[in-house]
Amino acid sequence: MNDLRDLYQEVILDHNKRPRNFHAMADASGRAEGHNPLCGDRVTVYVRLEGDRIADISFEGSGCAISKASASLMTDSVKGQTIADSDALFHAFQTLVTAGPDTSPSTDDVGKLEVLAGVRDYPSRIKCATLAWHALQAAVHGANDGPVRSE
Ligand code: ZN
C-alpha cells in the first residue's frame, strides 16, 4: 500500500510542478473563478464548448499542491468529453473524496483521478481537491460567468 501511496504522491507533485493546460484562454466560451478561503487556493477555469462537448479547457491560479494537481488532472480528464460525461466524473470524484477516513470507496469510475483518493483521509483538504471542479461546473453551466448577474 505504501508503494502505491508514494506513486500517487509522485503524480500529485508532478502535476503541481508542471500543471497541464495551465494558461488563460482568449476564445473561451465560459469561465469561472473559485476561491477556497480555508487554504487560500484560487483558480480560474476556462472552457470552450462545441455543442455539448468540452472542446478545450484550461486553468490559471495559485494554491496548494492538492488544488493545483487536482485542477491539472481535471483538465486532462475532461478535455474532449461531453458535458454529461464530465458531470458524471465530477460526481464520482466528489463521492470518492468525501467518503470519509477509513473507507474504501470504489475508484472504478474516476480514472486517473484515483491518485487523489487519499484526500478522503484529510477532510480539511477536500475543498482543495474539489475547488477546480466547482469552477468547471460554474463555467460550463453558466452559474458564474464573469461578474455576478443581476437577475
Ligand atoms: Zn488547498
Side-chain angles (χ1 to χ4, degrees):
M1 245 349 243
N2 279 334
D3 287 350
L4 197 59
R5 282 261 157 143
D6 288 348
L7 174 69
Y8 287 177
Q9 188 75 12
E10 243 172 70
V11 174
I12 290 168
L13 291 177
D14 177 57
H15 274 268
N16 175 51
K17 208 166 152 188
R18 299 185 302 117
R20 320 301 195 264
N21 308 298
F22 189 65
H23 55 82
M25 193 189 297
D27 61 345
S29 51
R31 53 165 276 186
E33 290 166 23
H35 178 213
N36 173 18
L38 291 176
C39 182
D41 309 314
R42 286 182 184 279
V43 68
T44 302
V45 173
Y46 303 85
V47 291
R48 187 163 56 76
L49 301 178
E50 281 175 9
D52 65 348
R53 218 168 50 84
I54 299 172
D56 201 8
I57 177 167
S58 67
F59 79 104
E60 287 183 307
S62 60
C64 67
I66 296 287
S67 71
K68 215 159 168 182
S70 180
S72 175
L73 283 156
M74 177 190 80
T75 59
D76 246 6
S77 298
V78 305
K79 193 188 270 194
Q81 277 195 340
T82 63
I83 291 169
D85 283 346
S86 91
D87 284 352
L89 186 60
F90 168 56
H91 290 301
F93 178 64
Q94 197 172 35
T95 301
L96 175 67
V97 296
T98 58
D102 306 318
T103 56
S104 308
S106 165
T107 53
D108 292 349
D109 300 328
V110 297
K112 65 181 85 172
L113 302 177
E114 184 181 356
V115 299
L116 291 161
V119 166
R120 70 177 182 275
D121 293 333
Y122 306 93
S124 64
R125 311 312 294 273
I126 293 169
K127 281 200 163 71
C128 303
T130 57
L131 179 66
W133 284 95
H134 286 292
L136 171 63
Q137 289 284 303
V140 166
H141 298 290
N144 179 22
D145 189 10
V148 176
R149 292 170 185 173
S150 54
E151 72 259 46

